[in-house]
Amino acid sequence: MVNICGLLGTEYPIIQGAMAWIADAYLASAVSNAGGLGIIASGNAEADWVRSEIRKTREMTDKPFGVNVMLLNPHADAIIDVICEEHVPVVTTGAGNPGKYITKLKSNSIKVIPVIASVALAIRVERAGADAVIAEGQEGGGHIGEATTMALVPQVVDAVNIPVIAAGGIADGRGIAAAFMLGASGVQVGTRFLVAKECTVSQNYKDMILKAKDSDTVATGRSTGHPVRVLKNKLARDILILEKRNADISEIEKIGTGALRAAVKDGDVVNGSVMSGQIAGLVKKEQTAREMIVEMFEEAEEIYESRAIICRSRGSIPRNG
Ligand code: TUI
């Protein structure tokens, strides 16, 4: 297992999840200042917005940070150009295969860390020159794959020789400890940072996360080929009904358009899309990004130091009697 802090230039082996419309310069710089790797999520944004957030981030931190490129974004090519021009230290990608961008990013000395949801894509991006992969299980929020974190991470660890960062379902020290036990070298955390004091998402969105139970998320859009994990609300129920009726993909996608923005910016958590991981039920307090990171890693270290993991009885039971 490698120390991913050297690769990322961070104090802690943690990356902030890229949350479209949410992870802007404020959150990214807060996480980077707190010792993690803050990420600007470009989502479906245009390249000019990304350039402006990169420059704002640099005004708020002198620590390394990254930009996430959501590969379904029609502006992805232009965003890659901006990332190179602005010498962003790290790029993460999501929702597709970033193969065609890797050579260009590497030749600009940018670290490339794709989010993958399968062993096959992990192997492909390693061959194309990726520096690490983020193996994201379907416990995560937003766009997801099929495999769970518990099953995906060790299989990816066995299949590649680059560091593996675990994502999906991790929001405390137990999750971090478990990820390392599976062979991960770091973690990506999204849902918990939604309620960071520095996160500018609407208070309604934060309150819904803070009140969520274990069973409150659902994956919509499986029928469209773009499954998205969200908190259950009217929009999610409407989409699921359309999917059950085998409605046209265009009809389903139409009611989802603009819905994330509505929840994030306008606080419409009824008709908006409240993307969240399954671990929201564990997220119960608003803290600064620094408080979250320190608390999570203290918990993880305590687990390693104090908990004897007992797989068979040893010592306390006399061997011969
Ligand atoms: O990208 C994400 N999460 C996201 S992106 C997003 S914005 C959006 N809004 C509406 C519809 C779609 C997206 C919200 N949440 N996470 C990273 C991630 N990537 N999870 C799973 C994957 C993934 C899935 C399949 C990566 C690669 C992949 O490969 C397909 C292929 O081409 O082999």
Side-chain angles (χ1 to χ4, degrees), residues 116-130:
I116 54 89
S118 68
V119 167
L121 189 55
I123 292 171
R124 250 183 283 154
V125 298
E126 178 183 39
R127 282 198 193 126

Side-chain angles (χ1 to χ4, degrees), residues 24-26 40 49-58:
D24 55 9
Y26 293 100
I40 299 165
W49 180 86
V50 179
R51 192 191 300 279
S52 144
E53 292 306 302
I54 292 168
R55 292 185 178 176
K56 275 196 233 166
T57 304
R58 284 222 159 92

Side-chain angles (χ1 to χ4, degrees), residues 1 36 75 78 91 114 140 162 172 187 201-202 233 237 240 275 278:
M1 198 190 299
H75 311 294
V91 163
I162 48 178
D172 69 3
V187 293
V201 74
S202 67
N233 65 358
R237 278 189 289 276
L240 290 174
M275 294 186 186
Q278 288 183 327

Side-chain angles (χ1 to χ4, degrees), residues 16-17 19 22-32 38-39 60 190 193-194 196 198-200 289:
Q16 165 238 313
M19 298 169 285
I22 298 169
D24 55 9
Y26 293 100
L27 184 60
S29 60
V31 172
S32 287
I39 300 283
M60 291 186 274
F193 286 125
L194 280 170
E198 301 93 336
C199 180
T200 57

Side-chain angles (χ1 to χ4, degrees), residues 18 20 43-44 70 72 93-97 115-117 121 124 136 141-145 226 228 260 275:
N44 268 320
M70 205 278 281
L72 299 170
T93 63
N97 181 354
V115 174
I116 54 89
L121 189 55
R124 250 183 283 154
E136 186 184 292
H143 182 75
I144 49 170
H226 293 144
V228 173
L260 180 58
M275 294 186 186

